[in-house]
């Protein structure tokens, strides 16, 4: 009987950690501060309703790009002269809607056949920071100006890393970058990504229609679970963390709050989409605009999926350069945004 029960339990679907964490936080609020439980739920629901149009647009935009095979355009960034490759890789990396695990086999193949590390570095640094879904969510929550600034920062960071790598390509740091046996598998089970030509009228192909449906559903659930968690945390932060505490650490002007934003953002980043409402809460609590920008730049590049994609393929010294470019770019972006915001 015990074996049967264990087998039955093993077949039950596991609750995703994001949903479980949201439920645990709400349960803790209900237990420790019952009057605040319903306001936390309503805050989360209202925030999701406010963001719903942006979520839907982002979901369908990404599904369209995936179903049409638009990712094949990415390979063109790595053709031609090295300078052109860096610029194209940074621009497409900052705009492409493809996750880090999809990029792993593609980048592994490029490095194996001798693509310049400078262009790869440009793409690696820019790609985790912005995509159509991220831009839409960011604009809807933090404003169009912040979203545009972050997109420009993503491209600028790619250019910084790309041309920086090119300038020091002859040094020992960037020589022989690949691990002996780089991992080319990814969590998306992508074997030959970015091949072929895009088919914009994807609805005429049953397989592409199915890709559209699956991508929309998967991304919709992904965004919903992470944004729900983020809005729950935002409600708790606004209720229980004193504004003067945030303002004391991340407020003010100059280099210090920007540096602290980058240093806090690097290890604290949950998820690129979940970070947006959290930054919104921090800004309401007194976080400096420049610190908010450095937080999302440093955190986006150092988040687990992006960092693992780099670590899996290259030697530690290349990974250290990747992290160094990320921190430098985050500080520059934060100082620039703090000066104009």
């Amino acid at each position: 009987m015990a074996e049967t029960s264990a087998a039955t339990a093993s077949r039950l679907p596991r609750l995703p950690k994001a949903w479980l964490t949201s439920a645990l936080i709400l349960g803790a609020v209900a237990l420790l501060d019952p009057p605040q439980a319903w306001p936390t739920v309503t805050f989360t629901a209202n925030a999701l309703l406010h963001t719903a149009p942006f979520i839907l647009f982002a979901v369908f935009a990404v599904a369209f790009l995936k179903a049409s095979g638009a990712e094949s355009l990415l390979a063109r960034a790595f053709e031609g002269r090295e300078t052109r490759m860096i610029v194209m890789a940074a621009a497409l990396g900052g705009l492409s809607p493809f996750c880090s695990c999809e990029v792993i086999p593609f980048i592994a193949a490029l490095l194996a056949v001798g693509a310049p590390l400078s262009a790869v570095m440009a793409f690696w640094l820019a790609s985790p920071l912005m995509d159509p879904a991220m831009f839409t969510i960011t604009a809807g929550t933090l404003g169009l100006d912040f979203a545009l600034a972050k997109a420009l920062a993503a491209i600028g960071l790619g250019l910084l890393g790309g041309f920086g790598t090119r300038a020091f390509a002859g040094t020992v740091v960037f020589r022989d970058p690949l691990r002996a046996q780089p991992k080319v598998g990814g969590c998306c089970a992508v074997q030959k990504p970015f091949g072929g030509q895009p088919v914009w009228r994807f609805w005429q192909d049953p397989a592409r229609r199915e890709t559209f449906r699956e991508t929309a559903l998967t991304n919709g659930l992904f965004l919903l679970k992470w944004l729900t968690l983020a809005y729950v945390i935002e409600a708790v932060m606004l209720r229980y963390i004193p504004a003067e505490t945030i303002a004391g650490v991340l407020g003010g002007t100059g280099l210090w709050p920007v540096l602290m934003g980058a240093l806090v953002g690097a290890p604290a980043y949950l998820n690129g989409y979940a970070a947006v409402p959290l930054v919104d809460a921090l800004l309401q609590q007194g976080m400096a605009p420049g610190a908010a920008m450095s937080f999302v730049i440093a955190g986006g590049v150092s988040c687990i999926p992006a960092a693992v994609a780099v670590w899996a393929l290259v030697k530690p010294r290349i990974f250290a350069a990747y992290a160094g470019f990320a921190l430098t770019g985050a500080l520059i972006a934060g100082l620039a945004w703090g000066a104009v915001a």
Side-chain angles (χ1 to χ4, degrees):
M1 177 64 99
E3 293 180 359
T4 303
S5 300
T8 301
S10 66
R11 289 194 297 267
L12 293 175
R14 297 179 61 185
L15 186 66
K17 292 181 180 179
W19 289 122
L20 180 60
T21 305
S22 298
L24 289 174
I25 293 174
L26 291 173
V29 172
L31 179 65
L32 301 174
D33 190 4
Q36 189 60 28
W38 182 243
T40 302
V41 172
T42 56
F43 178 94
T44 302
N46 289 333
L48 286 171
L49 286 175
H50 171 76
T51 317
F54 304 99
I55 296 175
L56 291 174
F57 176 82
V59 165
F60 288 116
V62 172
F64 171 78
L65 292 171
K66 293 289 290 181
S68 63
E71 68 264 35
S72 62
L73 298 176
L74 187 59
R76 300 179 187 176
F78 297 89
E79 299 174 351
R81 298 176 60 185
E82 185 176 0
T83 299
R84 176 190 176 279
M85 290 188 206
I86 294 172
V87 174
M88 291 296 294
L92 289 178
L95 301 173
S96 63
F98 313 113
C99 68
S100 299
C101 60
E102 289 179 300
V103 170
I104 292 175
F106 175 64
I107 293 297
L110 286 172
L111 289 172
V113 298
L117 180 63
S118 57
V120 171
M121 183 69 77
F123 181 81
W124 257 337
L125 287 165
S127 62
L129 294 176
M130 188 58 72
D131 56 47
M134 180 75 71
F135 184 90
T136 306
I137 299 296
T138 303
T141 304
L142 300 176
L144 180 60
D145 290 345
F146 191 95
L148 289 171
K150 187 186 176 187
L152 290 175
I155 296 171
L157 177 57
L159 294 174
L160 172 68
F163 284 108
T165 300
R166 185 189 182 196
F168 296 99
T171 66
V172 66
V173 175
F174 295 101
R175 195 176 302 140
D176 188 25
L178 279 178
R179 290 180 181 269
Q181 292 181 329
K183 301 175 182 178
V184 297
C187 60
C188 297
V190 179
Q191 300 301 322
K192 295 181 180 179
F194 313 117
Q197 294 293 326
V199 178
W200 302 115
R201 297 182 180 181
F202 70 88
W203 54 87
Q204 298 176 353
D205 184 334
R208 291 180 181 272
R209 289 200 303 269
E210 180 62 18
T211 297
F212 179 89
R213 187 192 69 80
E214 290 182 357
T215 302
L217 179 62
T218 300
N219 279 278
L221 292 174
F222 175 84
L223 290 174
L224 181 61
K225 72 179 182 182
W226 281 108
L227 289 175
T228 297
L229 174 59
Y231 287 131
V232 169
I233 295 176
E234 180 182 7
V236 171
M237 288 174 60
L238 291 174
R239 177 67 177 85
Y240 298 109
I241 298 180
E244 56 269 21
T245 300
I246 302 299
V249 177
L250 298 172
T253 58
L255 177 62
W256 178 250
V258 174
L259 177 61
M260 288 303 299
L263 294 178
V264 171
Y269 222 61
L270 291 172
N271 169 276
Y273 302 99
V276 174
L278 300 186
V279 170
D280 185 41
L282 290 169
L283 286 169
Q284 293 182 53
Q285 296 288 83
M287 185 184 201
M293 183 61 72
S294 65
F295 180 96
V296 297
I297 298 298
V301 176
S302 65
C303 68
I304 290 175
V308 168
V310 180
W311 181 265
L313 296 178
V314 296
K315 295 178 179 178
R317 49 189 164 80
I318 305 297
F319 182 84
Y322 168 85
F325 284 131
L327 180 60
T328 302
L331 293 177
I332 295 173
L335 290 172
W337 179 245
V340 301

